[in-house]
Amino acid sequence: MPYSRTSRPPYAWAKKPFESDLSPARRELAAALQSLCALVLITPDGADAPTPNPTQGEVANRLAMSESALSRALSGKVLPVRRSVEVLFEAASTDASKQGIEIGITLADLCQLHKEAADQNGITATRLSTDLESTSRQLNAALDENAQLSSACTELRAQHDKLRQQASLKAARLRSLQRKYAVLRRKAASLQKRVSLLEAGSPAPPAPSSGTPAAAPLPVPRQAGDRQRTELDTAAARHVAGRAEALCDGGRQADEVLALLRHTTDAYSPAETALLVVLLTQHGQRDLVRDLLHIYGRDKPDREVLRTALELLRSGAPASAEALILTAAEMRRP
């Protein structure tokens, strides 16, 4: 029966394209193998003569190779074993002799090409192994760096949570202080109202019960024969004297003490001022007494100075009375 073939050119399958990165030795070996394959003759079963257009599979069977192995060897993708190269050379030499064709290469040259391709393949493998090892080291370094960054990120997250907690506590503390400040402002307004009433001579409303001790009575003009007012004068004077001593003993600035004394001279009556001078003198606060008499004699009118000097005489402090009058006279000297 006739043997049918395709219309492709003979041995077209043997002309495999080479990849651009194929080494020169591999390329030269693959080109030699392609030339040898084109010389192999195949006589199909039942045919009287070799076919002019054998298939790749038929040539592979003749060489005792798989078709895929032959295809990869011809394209240079795989380096065939040396025995396969020798079998191909023997088959091509035999068939070329039948046709009276020179194959153009010796077995020794072909084996040398195979050796060079193998050596170059080893060099390439070594280079790839080196590159792989270098890449592996870089990957391990990157993994270590990533682990360090992850640990640092965890620490920063913990610090961030701690700062947020501290900020929350401070915000709560601030709200508490704001509430206390509002309460103190209301109390200050209430005390200011009481002070205004006392200075006007009106009875002050009772202070709200808050568990804190009541403030000392503020000075108001004293009327003659008012025994209760005398007791209040004494309490007020003792309160200011105690505050002045506390400021001095606490190491406060002199400005705070002078501010207290200026307030005292503005708000206290002559009797209260005289009692305050006596109390400070008894406690050894002579510097405070001197400053108080200086401020009083400088700022108060003559009538108030004389009334206070009289109260000092009645309280048994003639030296202070004399010092007050002399201070006032010195301040009014032209």
Side-chain angles (χ1 to χ4, degrees):
M1 59 181 295
Y3 191 85
S4 62
R5 294 289 167 176
T6 65
S7 60
R8 295 180 62 190
Y11 298 95
W13 50 266
K15 302 299 180 181
K16 306 289 186 185
F18 300 136
E19 295 181 355
S20 59
D21 58 346
L22 191 64
S23 66
R26 291 273 291 275
R27 185 187 298 268
E28 188 174 357
L29 176 64
L33 296 179
Q34 291 180 11
S35 299
L36 292 174
C37 279
L39 299 175
V40 177
L41 298 177
I42 299 296
T43 302
D45 294 339
D48 297 331
T51 175
N53 191 10
T55 65
Q56 181 175 260
E58 290 171 337
V59 174
N61 289 333
R62 169 82 184 275
L63 301 176
M65 298 174 61
S66 67
E67 185 177 355
S68 61
L70 178 59
S71 177
R72 291 194 295 271
L74 294 177
S75 64
K77 293 181 179 178
V78 173
L79 181 67
V81 297
R82 180 169 175 172
R83 180 55 189 161
S84 297
V85 172
E86 292 174 346
V87 170
L88 175 57
F89 180 83
E90 293 171 358
S93 297
T94 301
D95 294 346
S97 297
K98 293 178 181 179
Q99 303 176 62
I101 301 173
E102 294 290 337
I103 62 177
I105 189 172
T106 64
L107 180 59
D109 292 339
L110 186 62
C111 291
Q112 180 62 30
L113 287 177
H114 184 273
K115 181 179 181 303
E116 292 175 358
D119 292 343
Q120 200 165 50
N121 190 54
I123 294 173
T124 303
T126 302
R127 185 178 68 251
L128 291 176
S129 177
T130 303
D131 293 343
L132 178 61
E133 184 179 355
S134 176
T135 303
S136 178
R137 288 196 298 269
Q138 293 176 1
L139 177 60
N140 291 333
L143 290 175
D144 292 341
E145 184 179 2
N146 181 68
Q148 294 176 2
L149 291 175
S150 178
S151 177
C153 182
T154 301
E155 293 179 1
L156 289 175
R157 189 179 292 111
Q159 293 179 4
H160 178 261
D161 293 340
K162 183 177 180 180
L163 291 175
R164 288 188 60 184
Q165 184 178 7
Q166 293 177 353
S168 178
L169 293 175
K170 289 183 178 181
R173 176 62 176 169
L174 177 61
R175 289 192 295 270
S176 175
L177 291 175
Q178 288 174 340
R179 289 193 295 268
K180 291 180 179 180
Y181 175 70
V183 172
L184 291 175
R185 286 192 63 182
R186 290 194 295 270
K187 289 183 177 180
S190 176
L191 290 174
Q192 185 65 34
K193 183 177 180 181
R194 294 182 66 227
V195 169
S196 300
L197 292 174
L198 288 173
E199 290 179 345
S202 302
S209 176
S210 60
T212 58
L218 294 174
V220 296
R222 183 182 62 172
Q223 299 181 4
D226 189 351
R227 181 178 178 182
Q228 182 182 6
R229 186 66 256 172
T230 302
E231 294 175 357
L232 292 177
D233 290 347
T234 303
R238 291 184 182 278
H239 174 69
V240 174
R243 286 187 61 192
E245 287 187 76
L247 288 174
C248 291
D249 294 340
R252 300 295 183 90
Q253 297 292 332
D255 293 341
E256 295 185 56
V257 180
L258 292 178
L260 175 63
L261 297 180
R262 290 192 186 95
H263 173 75
T264 302
T265 58
D266 292 336
Y268 274 44
S269 66
E272 292 168 328
T273 303
L275 289 173
L276 176 58
V277 170
V278 172
L279 289 173
L280 292 175
T281 303
Q282 291 175 353
H283 288 81
Q285 300 292 339
R286 299 188 180 277
D287 293 336
L288 290 180
V289 171
R290 184 182 66 253
D291 292 338
L292 176 60
L293 294 177
H294 178 81
I295 294 171
Y296 200 95
R298 180 193 64 192
D299 297 339
K300 288 294 185 178
D302 294 341
R303 182 177 179 182
E304 293 293 322
V305 171
L306 292 176
R307 289 181 59 189
T308 303
L310 180 59
E311 292 292 340
L312 287 170
L313 290 173
R314 291 176 178 174
S315 301
S320 297
E322 179 182 2
L324 176 60
I325 293 175
L326 291 176
T327 299
E330 183 70 19
M331 291 297 176
R332 288 158 179 75
R333 179 180 299 175

